Amino acid sequence: YLTNQTITNNGTLTIIDSSEDESGLITSASAPNLIANAGTLVFESGNLSKTTSSGVPLSTTGNLTINGGKITTPGVGISGSGTVKITDVNITTDGTCFDLYGNTTITGGTYNSTTVAATAGGTTNITGGTFTSTSNALSSTGTVNVRGGTFTSSNGYGLYTQRNILNVYDGEIKGVVGVYNDYYLTSTWHDYYGSTVNIYGGNIEGTNVGVQNNNSYLNIYGGNIKGGNYGIYFGGRTLEIGTNNEE
């Protein structure tokens, strides 16, 4: 049981909760971050709990592997860059479960948020996991490949991307809009950059719109798309519907 301290890792560290009831706890109300990783960290089990939204339970700029454990915080759960691999974790937050801008691989885990469940920059590969949010289940500002997982938003978008690339190969995606493909407007209001969404498979459903495109590039080669009012709502720039051999 550690409280009001920051663990800084610049080497190689493995954290394991050895208690029978898995009650091991790292917590703080005052430390900026519970764990700051700049080396190689393997988080096998344990509980990270932050009671304020300042700072994060786990920040990383190195190599991070998470194979279990629980994270609770009113703010962001995991943030940073570097290489991140998550096979299993349970994150509950009023903020964003993770905000990562390096090379991220997610094969499982449970991510619950009252705002945006996850923000993915850099390159992110997702093959599993359950993402639940009242806002966007996943917001992408990098290159994201979704090959599995469940993304559910009660009041927002299942998947949202802006200015970058989202490839959907598989997965269960639900929201007011299942997938929203948006553009980015520069601060001068003179230039805007469209993002690209490629849909190869998966089940996409929106209570209003299945897939919505806003001044961006949308390519649909497969999948099941359903919307309460519109299956596909296209607002420019380009739309292609057909077949593609990419798996």
Side-chain angles (χ1 to χ4, degrees), residues 95-163:
T96 302
C97 293
F98 64 76
D99 190 2
L100 297 169
Y101 289 86
N103 293 312
T104 304
T105 300
I106 298 173
T107 60
T110 301
Y111 310 87
N112 296 299
S113 171
T114 57
T115 56
V116 179
T119 302
T123 300
T124 302
N125 294 291
I126 301 174
T127 59
T130 301
F131 302 77
T132 305
S133 173
T134 57
S135 181
N136 303 335
L138 177 68
S139 291
S140 164
T141 57
T143 298
V144 176
N145 302 303
V146 176
R147 297 182 181 273
T150 299
F151 305 83
T152 305
S153 170
S154 58
N155 294 312
Y157 311 133
L159 299 178
Y160 173 86
T161 187
Q162 184 183 55
R163 193 172 52 171

Short mmCIF file of all heavy atoms in Angstrom, two decimals, residues 95-163:
data_model
loop_
_atom_site.label_atom_id
_atom_site.label_comp_id
_atom_site.label_asym_id
_atom_site.label_seq_id
_atom_site.Cartn_x
_atom_site.Cartn_y
_atom_site.Cartn_z
N GLY A 95 -12.96 10.95 -16.95
CA GLY A 95 -12.24 11.59 -18.03
C GLY A 95 -12.02 10.62 -19.16
O GLY A 95 -12.94 9.91 -19.58
N THR A 96 -10.80 10.55 -19.67
CA THR A 96 -10.44 9.65 -20.76
C THR A 96 -9.64 8.47 -20.21
O THR A 96 -8.69 8.67 -19.45
CB THR A 96 -9.60 10.39 -21.81
OG1 THR A 96 -10.34 11.51 -22.29
CG2 THR A 96 -9.25 9.49 -22.97
N CYS A 97 -10.02 7.26 -20.60
CA CYS A 97 -9.32 6.08 -20.08
C CYS A 97 -7.85 6.08 -20.48
O CYS A 97 -6.98 5.82 -19.65
CB CYS A 97 -9.99 4.80 -20.58
SG CYS A 97 -11.64 4.55 -19.90
N PHE A 98 -7.56 6.36 -21.73
CA PHE A 98 -6.16 6.53 -22.13
C PHE A 98 -6.04 7.58 -23.22
O PHE A 98 -6.95 7.77 -24.03
CB PHE A 98 -5.48 5.22 -22.53
CG PHE A 98 -6.06 4.54 -23.75
CD1 PHE A 98 -5.80 5.00 -25.03
CD2 PHE A 98 -6.84 3.40 -23.62
CE1 PHE A 98 -6.30 4.37 -26.15
CE2 PHE A 98 -7.36 2.76 -24.73
CZ PHE A 98 -7.08 3.24 -26.00
N ASP A 99 -4.91 8.26 -23.20
CA ASP A 99 -4.58 9.31 -24.15
C ASP A 99 -3.15 9.05 -24.59
O ASP A 99 -2.20 9.50 -23.95
CB ASP A 99 -4.74 10.67 -23.48
CG ASP A 99 -4.64 11.83 -24.46
OD1 ASP A 99 -4.51 11.56 -25.67
OD2 ASP A 99 -4.69 12.99 -24.02
N LEU A 100 -2.99 8.27 -25.67
CA LEU A 100 -1.69 7.75 -26.05
C LEU A 100 -1.33 8.16 -27.48
O LEU A 100 -2.18 8.10 -28.38
CB LEU A 100 -1.68 6.22 -25.95
CG LEU A 100 -1.89 5.67 -24.53
CD1 LEU A 100 -2.14 4.16 -24.56
CD2 LEU A 100 -0.69 5.99 -23.64
N TYR A 101 -0.04 8.54 -27.67
CA TYR A 101 0.39 9.08 -28.95
C TYR A 101 1.68 8.43 -29.45
O TYR A 101 2.44 9.06 -30.16
CB TYR A 101 0.57 10.60 -28.83
CG TYR A 101 -0.75 11.32 -28.68
CD1 TYR A 101 -1.33 11.48 -27.43
CD2 TYR A 101 -1.42 11.80 -29.79
CE1 TYR A 101 -2.54 12.12 -27.29
CE2 TYR A 101 -2.64 12.44 -29.67
CZ TYR A 101 -3.20 12.60 -28.41
OH TYR A 101 -4.41 13.22 -28.27
N GLY A 102 1.88 7.17 -29.11
CA GLY A 102 3.04 6.45 -29.62
C GLY A 102 2.58 5.28 -30.48
O GLY A 102 1.71 5.42 -31.33
N ASN A 103 3.18 4.11 -30.24
CA ASN A 103 2.77 2.88 -30.90
C ASN A 103 2.04 2.02 -29.88
O ASN A 103 2.63 1.54 -28.92
CB ASN A 103 3.99 2.14 -31.45
CG ASN A 103 4.66 2.91 -32.58
OD1 ASN A 103 4.00 3.37 -33.49
ND2 ASN A 103 5.98 3.06 -32.50
N THR A 104 0.74 1.85 -30.09
CA THR A 104 -0.10 1.21 -29.09
C THR A 104 -0.78 -0.02 -29.68
O THR A 104 -1.32 0.03 -30.79
CB THR A 104 -1.18 2.18 -28.58
OG1 THR A 104 -0.55 3.35 -28.07
CG2 THR A 104 -2.02 1.54 -27.49
N THR A 105 -0.76 -1.12 -28.91
CA THR A 105 -1.44 -2.35 -29.29
C THR A 105 -2.37 -2.76 -28.16
O THR A 105 -1.94 -2.89 -27.02
CB THR A 105 -0.45 -3.49 -29.57
OG1 THR A 105 0.43 -3.10 -30.63
CG2 THR A 105 -1.18 -4.76 -29.97
N ILE A 106 -3.64 -2.95 -28.48
CA ILE A 106 -4.62 -3.33 -27.47
C ILE A 106 -5.32 -4.61 -27.92
O ILE A 106 -5.91 -4.66 -29.00
CB ILE A 106 -5.66 -2.21 -27.26
CG1 ILE A 106 -4.97 -0.95 -26.76
CG2 ILE A 106 -6.75 -2.66 -26.29
CD1 ILE A 106 -5.88 0.25 -26.69
N THR A 107 -5.23 -5.64 -27.09
CA THR A 107 -5.88 -6.91 -27.40
C THR A 107 -7.04 -7.22 -26.46
O THR A 107 -7.76 -8.20 -26.67
CB THR A 107 -4.87 -8.07 -27.37
OG1 THR A 107 -4.29 -8.15 -26.07
CG2 THR A 107 -3.76 -7.84 -28.39
N GLY A 108 -7.20 -6.44 -25.41
CA GLY A 108 -8.29 -6.68 -24.47
C GLY A 108 -8.37 -5.58 -23.44
O GLY A 108 -7.66 -4.58 -23.48
N GLY A 109 -9.29 -5.76 -22.49
CA GLY A 109 -9.47 -4.78 -21.43
C GLY A 109 -10.87 -4.20 -21.44
O GLY A 109 -11.63 -4.36 -22.40
N THR A 110 -11.20 -3.51 -20.33
CA THR A 110 -12.50 -2.87 -20.19
C THR A 110 -12.27 -1.40 -19.88
O THR A 110 -11.55 -1.06 -18.94
CB THR A 110 -13.31 -3.52 -19.05
OG1 THR A 110 -13.49 -4.91 -19.34
CG2 THR A 110 -14.67 -2.86 -18.92
N TYR A 111 -12.89 -0.52 -20.67
CA TYR A 111 -12.64 0.91 -20.59
C TYR A 111 -13.99 1.62 -20.47
O TYR A 111 -14.78 1.63 -21.41
CB TYR A 111 -11.88 1.39 -21.83
CG TYR A 111 -10.66 0.55 -22.14
CD1 TYR A 111 -10.77 -0.61 -22.92
CD2 TYR A 111 -9.42 0.88 -21.62
CE1 TYR A 111 -9.66 -1.40 -23.18
CE2 TYR A 111 -8.31 0.10 -21.88
CZ TYR A 111 -8.43 -1.04 -22.65
OH TYR A 111 -7.33 -1.82 -22.91
N ASN A 112 -14.24 2.20 -19.30
CA ASN A 112 -15.51 2.86 -19.03
C ASN A 112 -15.28 4.32 -18.70
O ASN A 112 -14.50 4.65 -17.82
CB ASN A 112 -16.23 2.19 -17.85
CG ASN A 112 -16.62 0.76 -18.16
OD1 ASN A 112 -17.37 0.51 -19.08
ND2 ASN A 112 -16.09 -0.19 -17.40
N SER A 113 -15.99 5.21 -19.40
CA SER A 113 -15.80 6.64 -19.22
C SER A 113 -17.12 7.37 -19.36
O SER A 113 -17.99 6.96 -20.14
CB SER A 113 -14.80 7.19 -20.23
OG SER A 113 -14.76 8.61 -20.19
N THR A 114 -17.26 8.47 -18.63
CA THR A 114 -18.44 9.32 -18.80
C THR A 114 -18.20 10.38 -19.86
O THR A 114 -19.12 11.12 -20.21
CB THR A 114 -18.81 10.01 -17.47
OG1 THR A 114 -17.69 10.76 -17.00
CG2 THR A 114 -19.19 8.98 -16.42
N THR A 115 -16.97 10.46 -20.39
CA THR A 115 -16.69 11.36 -21.51
C THR A 115 -16.14 10.53 -22.66
O THR A 115 -16.78 9.60 -23.10
CB THR A 115 -15.70 12.47 -21.09
OG1 THR A 115 -14.50 11.88 -20.59
CG2 THR A 115 -16.30 13.35 -20.01
N VAL A 116 -14.97 10.85 -23.18
CA VAL A 116 -14.37 10.08 -24.27
C VAL A 116 -13.62 8.90 -23.67
O VAL A 116 -12.71 9.08 -22.86
CB VAL A 116 -13.41 10.95 -25.10
CG1 VAL A 116 -12.77 10.12 -26.20
CG2 VAL A 116 -14.15 12.13 -25.71
N ALA A 117 -13.98 7.69 -24.06
CA ALA A 117 -13.37 6.51 -23.46
C ALA A 117 -11.88 6.43 -23.77
O ALA A 117 -11.08 6.08 -22.90
CB ALA A 117 -14.08 5.24 -23.92
N ALA A 118 -11.49 6.75 -25.00
CA ALA A 118 -10.08 6.62 -25.36
C ALA A 118 -9.72 7.57 -26.49
O ALA A 118 -10.51 7.80 -27.40
CB ALA A 118 -9.78 5.18 -25.79
N THR A 119 -8.51 8.13 -26.41
CA THR A 119 -7.96 8.97 -27.46
C THR A 119 -6.69 8.33 -27.98
O THR A 119 -5.77 8.04 -27.21
CB THR A 119 -7.65 10.39 -26.96
OG1 THR A 119 -8.84 10.96 -26.43
CG2 THR A 119 -7.13 11.26 -28.08
N ALA A 120 -6.63 8.09 -29.28
CA ALA A 120 -5.50 7.37 -29.87
C ALA A 120 -4.83 8.23 -30.93
O ALA A 120 -5.44 8.57 -31.95
CB ALA A 120 -5.97 6.05 -30.48
N GLY A 121 -3.58 8.58 -30.69
CA GLY A 121 -2.76 9.23 -31.69
C GLY A 121 -1.67 8.26 -32.11
O GLY A 121 -1.69 7.09 -31.75
N GLY A 122 -0.69 8.72 -32.86
CA GLY A 122 0.37 7.81 -33.29
C GLY A 122 -0.21 6.69 -34.14
O GLY A 122 -1.06 6.90 -34.98
N THR A 123 0.24 5.45 -33.86
CA THR A 123 -0.30 4.27 -34.55
C THR A 123 -0.87 3.33 -33.52
O THR A 123 -0.18 2.91 -32.59
CB THR A 123 0.80 3.55 -35.35
OG1 THR A 123 1.33 4.45 -36.34
CG2 THR A 123 0.24 2.32 -36.06
N THR A 124 -2.15 2.99 -33.66
CA THR A 124 -2.83 2.16 -32.69
C THR A 124 -3.49 0.98 -33.38
O THR A 124 -4.21 1.15 -34.37
CB THR A 124 -3.91 2.97 -31.94
OG1 THR A 124 -3.30 4.09 -31.30
CG2 THR A 124 -4.61 2.11 -30.89
N ASN A 125 -3.24 -0.22 -32.85
CA ASN A 125 -3.84 -1.44 -33.37
C ASN A 125 -4.70 -2.06 -32.28
O ASN A 125 -4.21 -2.34 -31.18
CB ASN A 125 -2.76 -2.43 -33.81
CG ASN A 125 -1.98 -1.93 -35.01
OD1 ASN A 125 -2.49 -1.83 -36.11
ND2 ASN A 125 -0.72 -1.59 -34.78
N ILE A 126 -5.98 -2.26 -32.57
CA ILE A 126 -6.93 -2.79 -31.59
C ILE A 126 -7.54 -4.07 -32.14
O ILE A 126 -8.13 -4.07 -33.23
CB ILE A 126 -8.03 -1.77 -31.28
CG1 ILE A 126 -7.43 -0.47 -30.73
CG2 ILE A 126 -9.04 -2.35 -30.29
CD1 ILE A 126 -8.44 0.64 -30.53
N THR A 127 -7.41 -5.16 -31.38
CA THR A 127 -8.03 -6.42 -31.78
C THR A 127 -9.06 -6.90 -30.76
O THR A 127 -9.73 -7.91 -31.00
CB THR A 127 -6.96 -7.52 -31.95
OG1 THR A 127 -6.25 -7.70 -30.72
CG2 THR A 127 -5.98 -7.16 -33.05
N GLY A 128 -9.18 -6.22 -29.64
CA GLY A 128 -10.15 -6.62 -28.64
C GLY A 128 -10.30 -5.54 -27.58
O GLY A 128 -9.63 -4.51 -27.60
N GLY A 129 -11.22 -5.78 -26.65
CA GLY A 129 -11.49 -4.82 -25.59
C GLY A 129 -12.91 -4.30 -25.69
O GLY A 129 -13.56 -4.37 -26.73
N THR A 130 -13.40 -3.79 -24.56
CA THR A 130 -14.74 -3.22 -24.49
C THR A 130 -14.64 -1.76 -24.09
O THR A 130 -14.15 -1.43 -23.00
CB THR A 130 -15.61 -3.99 -23.47
OG1 THR A 130 -15.69 -5.36 -23.87
CG2 THR A 130 -17.02 -3.40 -23.40
N PHE A 131 -15.09 -0.86 -24.95
CA PHE A 131 -14.99 0.58 -24.76
C PHE A 131 -16.41 1.14 -24.63
O PHE A 131 -17.21 1.03 -25.56
CB PHE A 131 -14.28 1.25 -25.93
CG PHE A 131 -12.89 0.74 -26.19
CD1 PHE A 131 -12.67 -0.48 -26.83
CD2 PHE A 131 -11.79 1.50 -25.81
CE1 PHE A 131 -11.38 -0.94 -27.07
CE2 PHE A 131 -10.50 1.05 -26.05
CZ PHE A 131 -10.30 -0.17 -26.67
N THR A 132 -16.72 1.74 -23.48
CA THR A 132 -18.06 2.23 -23.22
C THR A 132 -17.99 3.67 -22.76
O THR A 132 -17.22 4.00 -21.86
CB THR A 132 -18.77 1.38 -22.16
OG1 THR A 132 -18.75 0.01 -22.57
CG2 THR A 132 -20.21 1.82 -21.99
N SER A 133 -18.82 4.55 -23.36
CA SER A 133 -18.75 5.97 -23.05
C SER A 133 -20.10 6.63 -23.30
O SER A 133 -20.90 6.15 -24.11
CB SER A 133 -17.70 6.65 -23.91
OG SER A 133 -17.71 8.05 -23.75
N THR A 134 -20.33 7.74 -22.59
CA THR A 134 -21.49 8.56 -22.92
C THR A 134 -21.18 9.54 -24.04
O THR A 134 -22.08 10.11 -24.64
CB THR A 134 -21.96 9.35 -21.68
OG1 THR A 134 -20.87 10.14 -21.19
CG2 THR A 134 -22.42 8.42 -20.58
N SER A 135 -19.89 9.74 -24.33
CA SER A 135 -19.46 10.59 -25.44
C SER A 135 -18.92 9.68 -26.54
O SER A 135 -19.62 8.78 -26.98
CB SER A 135 -18.41 11.59 -24.96
OG SER A 135 -18.00 12.43 -26.02
N ASN A 136 -17.68 9.87 -26.98
CA ASN A 136 -17.11 9.02 -28.02
C ASN A 136 -16.40 7.82 -27.40
O ASN A 136 -15.60 7.98 -26.48
CB ASN A 136 -16.11 9.81 -28.87
CG ASN A 136 -16.72 11.04 -29.49
OD1 ASN A 136 -17.92 11.11 -29.69
ND2 ASN A 136 -15.90 12.03 -29.79
N ALA A 137 -16.69 6.64 -27.91
CA ALA A 137 -16.02 5.46 -27.38
C ALA A 137 -14.53 5.47 -27.74
O ALA A 137 -13.69 5.09 -26.93
CB ALA A 137 -16.68 4.19 -27.90
N LEU A 138 -14.20 5.93 -28.94
CA LEU A 138 -12.80 6.07 -29.34
C LEU A 138 -12.66 7.26 -30.26
O LEU A 138 -13.36 7.35 -31.28
CB LEU A 138 -12.29 4.81 -30.06
CG LEU A 138 -10.85 4.88 -30.58
CD1 LEU A 138 -9.86 4.91 -29.43
CD2 LEU A 138 -10.54 3.72 -31.51
N SER A 139 -11.77 8.19 -29.92
CA SER A 139 -11.44 9.33 -30.78
C SER A 139 -10.04 9.14 -31.33
O SER A 139 -9.09 8.93 -30.57
CB SER A 139 -11.53 10.64 -29.99
OG SER A 139 -12.86 10.94 -29.66
N SER A 140 -9.91 9.22 -32.64
CA SER A 140 -8.64 8.97 -33.30
C SER A 140 -8.06 10.24 -33.88
O SER A 140 -8.74 10.97 -34.60
CB SER A 140 -8.83 7.94 -34.42
OG SER A 140 -7.72 7.93 -35.28
N THR A 141 -6.80 10.52 -33.54
CA THR A 141 -6.07 11.61 -34.17
C THR A 141 -4.78 11.10 -34.81
O THR A 141 -3.89 11.87 -35.12
CB THR A 141 -5.74 12.71 -33.15
OG1 THR A 141 -4.99 12.15 -32.07
CG2 THR A 141 -7.01 13.33 -32.60
N GLY A 142 -4.70 9.78 -34.97
CA GLY A 142 -3.54 9.17 -35.59
C GLY A 142 -3.99 8.15 -36.61
O GLY A 142 -5.04 8.29 -37.23
N THR A 143 -3.20 7.08 -36.78
CA THR A 143 -3.59 5.96 -37.63
C THR A 143 -4.07 4.83 -36.72
O THR A 143 -3.30 4.31 -35.90
CB THR A 143 -2.40 5.48 -38.48
OG1 THR A 143 -1.99 6.54 -39.34
CG2 THR A 143 -2.79 4.28 -39.33
N VAL A 144 -5.32 4.46 -36.86
CA VAL A 144 -5.92 3.45 -36.00
C VAL A 144 -6.46 2.31 -36.85
O VAL A 144 -7.21 2.54 -37.82
CB VAL A 144 -7.05 4.04 -35.13
CG1 VAL A 144 -7.72 2.95 -34.31
CG2 VAL A 144 -6.49 5.12 -34.21
N ASN A 145 -6.09 1.09 -36.49
CA ASN A 145 -6.58 -0.11 -37.14
C ASN A 145 -7.43 -0.89 -36.14
O ASN A 145 -6.92 -1.34 -35.12
CB ASN A 145 -5.42 -0.98 -37.63
CG ASN A 145 -4.52 -0.25 -38.59
OD1 ASN A 145 -4.97 0.25 -39.63
ND2 ASN A 145 -3.24 -0.15 -38.27
N VAL A 146 -8.72 -1.03 -36.43
CA VAL A 146 -9.64 -1.74 -35.55
C VAL A 146 -9.94 -3.10 -36.19
O VAL A 146 -10.58 -3.17 -37.24
CB VAL A 146 -10.93 -0.95 -35.32
CG1 VAL A 146 -11.91 -1.77 -34.49
CG2 VAL A 146 -10.62 0.38 -34.64
N ARG A 147 -9.48 -4.17 -35.53
CA ARG A 147 -9.70 -5.52 -36.01
C ARG A 147 -10.55 -6.34 -35.04
O ARG A 147 -10.67 -7.56 -35.19
CB ARG A 147 -8.37 -6.23 -36.26
CG ARG A 147 -7.52 -5.56 -37.36
CD ARG A 147 -6.23 -6.30 -37.62
NE ARG A 147 -5.43 -5.65 -38.64
CZ ARG A 147 -5.55 -5.86 -39.94
NH1 ARG A 147 -6.45 -6.72 -40.39
NH2 ARG A 147 -4.79 -5.22 -40.81
N GLY A 148 -11.13 -5.68 -34.08
CA GLY A 148 -11.98 -6.35 -33.11
C GLY A 148 -12.28 -5.42 -31.97
O GLY A 148 -11.80 -4.29 -31.90
N GLY A 149 -13.11 -5.89 -31.03
CA GLY A 149 -13.48 -5.08 -29.89
C GLY A 149 -14.91 -4.58 -30.00
O GLY A 149 -15.55 -4.67 -31.06
N THR A 150 -15.42 -4.06 -28.88
CA THR A 150 -16.77 -3.52 -28.82
C THR A 150 -16.69 -2.06 -28.40
O THR A 150 -16.09 -1.74 -27.36
CB THR A 150 -17.62 -4.31 -27.82
OG1 THR A 150 -17.70 -5.68 -28.25
CG2 THR A 150 -19.03 -3.74 -27.74
N PHE A 151 -17.29 -1.18 -29.19
CA PHE A 151 -17.24 0.27 -28.95
C PHE A 151 -18.68 0.77 -28.87
O PHE A 151 -19.42 0.71 -29.85
CB PHE A 151 -16.49 0.97 -30.08
CG PHE A 151 -15.11 0.44 -30.32
CD1 PHE A 151 -14.91 -0.70 -31.11
CD2 PHE A 151 -14.01 1.06 -29.78
CE1 PHE A 151 -13.64 -1.20 -31.33
CE2 PHE A 151 -12.73 0.57 -30.00
CZ PHE A 151 -12.55 -0.56 -30.77
N THR A 152 -19.06 1.28 -27.70
CA THR A 152 -20.45 1.69 -27.49
C THR A 152 -20.51 3.07 -26.88
O THR A 152 -19.89 3.33 -25.84
CB THR A 152 -21.18 0.70 -26.56
OG1 THR A 152 -21.07 -0.63 -27.09
CG2 THR A 152 -22.64 1.07 -26.42
N SER A 153 -21.24 3.97 -27.52
CA SER A 153 -21.47 5.31 -27.00
C SER A 153 -22.97 5.55 -26.90
O SER A 153 -23.71 5.32 -27.86
CB SER A 153 -20.83 6.37 -27.90
OG SER A 153 -21.25 7.67 -27.52
N SER A 154 -23.42 6.04 -25.75
CA SER A 154 -24.84 6.27 -25.56
C SER A 154 -25.31 7.60 -26.13
O SER A 154 -26.46 7.74 -26.54
CB SER A 154 -25.20 6.19 -24.08
OG SER A 154 -24.46 7.14 -23.32
N ASN A 155 -24.41 8.61 -26.17
CA ASN A 155 -24.80 9.94 -26.62
C ASN A 155 -23.88 10.53 -27.68
O ASN A 155 -24.03 11.70 -28.04
CB ASN A 155 -24.86 10.91 -25.43
CG ASN A 155 -25.96 10.56 -24.46
OD1 ASN A 155 -27.08 10.32 -24.84
ND2 ASN A 155 -25.62 10.51 -23.17
N GLY A 156 -22.91 9.77 -28.16
CA GLY A 156 -21.94 10.32 -29.10
C GLY A 156 -21.63 9.34 -30.23
O GLY A 156 -22.52 8.67 -30.75
N TYR A 157 -20.35 9.27 -30.58
CA TYR A 157 -19.90 8.46 -31.70
C TYR A 157 -19.22 7.19 -31.20
O TYR A 157 -18.44 7.23 -30.24
CB TYR A 157 -18.91 9.24 -32.57
CG TYR A 157 -19.38 10.63 -32.94
CD1 TYR A 157 -18.54 11.73 -32.82
CD2 TYR A 157 -20.67 10.83 -33.43
CE1 TYR A 157 -18.96 13.00 -33.16
CE2 TYR A 157 -21.11 12.10 -33.77
CZ TYR A 157 -20.25 13.19 -33.64
OH TYR A 157 -20.68 14.45 -33.97
N GLY A 158 -19.47 6.07 -31.88
CA GLY A 158 -18.74 4.85 -31.56
C GLY A 158 -17.26 5.02 -31.86
O GLY A 158 -16.40 4.80 -31.02
N LEU A 159 -16.96 5.43 -33.09
CA LEU A 159 -15.59 5.75 -33.51
C LEU A 159 -15.60 7.12 -34.15
O LEU A 159 -16.46 7.42 -34.99
CB LEU A 159 -15.06 4.72 -34.51
CG LEU A 159 -14.96 3.26 -34.06
CD1 LEU A 159 -14.47 2.39 -35.21
CD2 LEU A 159 -14.04 3.12 -32.86
N TYR A 160 -14.64 7.97 -33.77
CA TYR A 160 -14.52 9.31 -34.32
C TYR A 160 -13.09 9.54 -34.77
O TYR A 160 -12.13 9.23 -34.03
CB TYR A 160 -14.91 10.35 -33.27
CG TYR A 160 -14.66 11.79 -33.69
CD1 TYR A 160 -15.62 12.48 -34.42
CD2 TYR A 160 -13.48 12.46 -33.36
CE1 TYR A 160 -15.40 13.80 -34.82
CE2 TYR A 160 -13.26 13.76 -33.75
CZ TYR A 160 -14.22 14.43 -34.48
OH TYR A 160 -14.00 15.73 -34.87
N THR A 161 -12.92 10.06 -35.97
CA THR A 161 -11.58 10.37 -36.44
C THR A 161 -11.55 11.75 -37.06
O THR A 161 -12.53 12.21 -37.65
CB THR A 161 -11.06 9.33 -37.45
OG1 THR A 161 -9.68 9.59 -37.76
CG2 THR A 161 -11.87 9.35 -38.74
N GLN A 162 -10.39 12.41 -36.92
CA GLN A 162 -10.22 13.76 -37.44
C GLN A 162 -8.80 13.92 -37.97
O GLN A 162 -7.84 13.72 -37.24
CB GLN A 162 -10.49 14.81 -36.35
CG GLN A 162 -10.42 16.24 -36.84
CD GLN A 162 -10.62 17.24 -35.72
OE1 GLN A 162 -9.91 17.20 -34.73
NE2 GLN A 162 -11.58 18.13 -35.88
N ARG A 163 -8.69 14.22 -39.25
CA ARG A 163 -7.42 14.59 -39.90
C ARG A 163 -6.49 13.41 -40.17
O ARG A 163 -5.45 13.59 -40.76
CB ARG A 163 -6.70 15.66 -39.06
CG ARG A 163 -5.55 16.34 -39.80
CD ARG A 163 -4.97 17.50 -39.04
NE ARG A 163 -4.62 17.19 -37.69
CZ ARG A 163 -3.94 18.01 -36.90
NH1 ARG A 163 -3.56 19.19 -37.36
NH2 ARG A 163 -3.66 17.68 -35.67
#
